[in-house]
Amino acid sequence: MSVALVGAGPGDPGLLTRRGAELLGRADVVIYDRLVSRELLELVPPGAELIDAGKDLGGSGRQVEINQALVEHGLAGRNVVRLKGGDPFVFGRGGEEAEALRKAGVDYEVVPGVSSAFAAPAAAGIPVTHRGLATSVTVVTGRVGDASMADVDWDAMGRADGTLVVLMGMADRERIVEELLARGRAAETPVAVVQWGTTQRQQVVRSTLDGLAAIDLENPAAIVIGPVAALDLGTNDSGAHTR
Ligand SMILES: C[S@@+](CC[C@H](N)C(=O)[O-])C[C@H]1O[C@@H](n2cnc3c(N)ncnc32)[C@H](O)[C@@H]1O
């Protein structure tokens, strides 16, 4: 095994898997993403090479350079950890990295992570499914202006009566609201925005669909849309959930 695509979890370093910690503990090279907790890098042995994927492999073709670095270090027989926020295969381009490794004939392992799509709502006391309120949950990209993402099927999003979790959605939140209202989602549908979920910086703002545009929080944030967004079951008191 030379390369591992490891999910770092949503932010709280305690949410890394044991397998992830084991691989970090014997890594020669770690290529990590911006949102990954710096505390996790303390698990890496002294002398290992730490590469910030955003800074050290910068440039317009960033993903190409990351793929290349993974292949090169892998072919050199080093223990490489590609540390990615949340789960490596949820909006993390981990699939493209796996494809590049497979094409180059480099052995790799995928270590699942706790995705922010579920962890951020849970940390805010929101069960994404709940008997009587939501029997399904859909996770969707909110980067609606990003040409590299297939167009979101807003008709389906408007029809879906379960919970919608939008990642990367705060920049385009006005458009998201417009699309959903135009397809019949009620203006008073509960909404919660969970920023930096599971971390010390976690902030939660609750509103309704027609109030989403006014919520002034930036990414990283998960937008939860649907009746469950009004719930706050994070603690055993009735007050706001704080960490
Ligand atoms: C490129 S996606 C990667 C998602 C990641 N692979 C996962 O499974 O969580 C980055 C987006 O995930 C969401 N995100 C990541 N960490 C978060 C956190 N701690 N709280 C809320 N949202 C988070 C934000 O929407 C952010 O813009």
Side-chain angles (χ1 to χ4, degrees):
M1 177 66 49
S2 59
V3 178
L5 306 177
V6 176
D12 177 346
L15 294 173
L16 177 73
T17 62
R18 289 171 64 168
R19 179 70 182 146
E22 188 187 323
L23 290 165
L24 280 173
R26 54 179 157 91
D28 300 314
V29 186
V30 178
I31 303 178
Y32 62 94
D33 274 348
R34 189 175 56 93
L35 288 180
V36 159
S37 160
R38 293 301 176 267
E39 269 182 64
L40 296 183
L41 300 180
E42 291 168 14
L43 300 172
V44 175
E49 189 179 350
L50 295 179
I51 301 173
D52 179 333
K55 275 198 204 137
D56 305 332
L57 301 173
S60 54
R62 200 168 74 84
Q63 190 59 50
V64 175
E65 290 177 37
I66 294 170
N67 294 353
Q68 224 165 35
L70 288 172
V71 167
E72 279 167 19
H73 288 295
L75 287 176
R78 305 172 84 190
N79 288 325
V80 185
V81 171
R82 172 71 175 112
L83 191 60
K84 302 172 72 66
D87 181 276
F89 278 2
V90 178
F91 294 127
R93 306 190 71 172
E96 291 165 54
E97 295 172 7
E99 282 172 346
L101 290 162
R102 177 176 284 184
K103 197 167 157 212
V106 178
D107 284 346
Y108 64 88
E109 170 184 353
V110 180
V111 181
V114 176
S115 177
S116 64
F118 301 123
I126 300 169
V128 288
T129 63
H130 193 73
R131 195 172 279 262
L133 287 185
T135 54
S136 68
V137 55
T138 305
V139 180
V140 63
T141 174
R143 280 173 68 176
V144 287
D146 187 339
S148 69
M149 290 281 178
D151 274 348
V152 172
D153 181 351
W154 289 108
D155 285 336
M157 297 304 133
R159 270 196 314 271
D161 56 1
T163 305
L164 206 54
V165 177
V166 187
L167 298 188
M168 302 172 281
M170 288 310 279
D172 282 327
R173 59 194 186 282
E174 280 181 37
R175 163 101 186 267
I176 292 166
V177 172
E178 270 170 32
E179 298 281 4
L180 291 175
L181 290 178
R183 283 161 179 83
R185 280 259 175 152
E188 61 276 11
T189 303
V191 160
V193 176
V194 188
Q195 185 192 44
W196 289 111
T198 79
T199 74
Q200 303 286 345
R201 302 159 73 180
Q202 174 171 307
Q203 285 202 59
V204 184
V205 176
R206 284 168 213 272
S207 182
T208 49
L209 190 54
D210 59 355
L212 173 59
I215 298 178
D216 194 16
L217 293 178
E218 291 174 352
N219 287 322
I223 306 170
V224 188
I225 301 169
V228 294
L231 299 178
D232 182 357
L233 302 173
T235 57
N236 199 19
D237 59 43
S238 54
H241 174 64
T242 52
R243 289 178 56 84

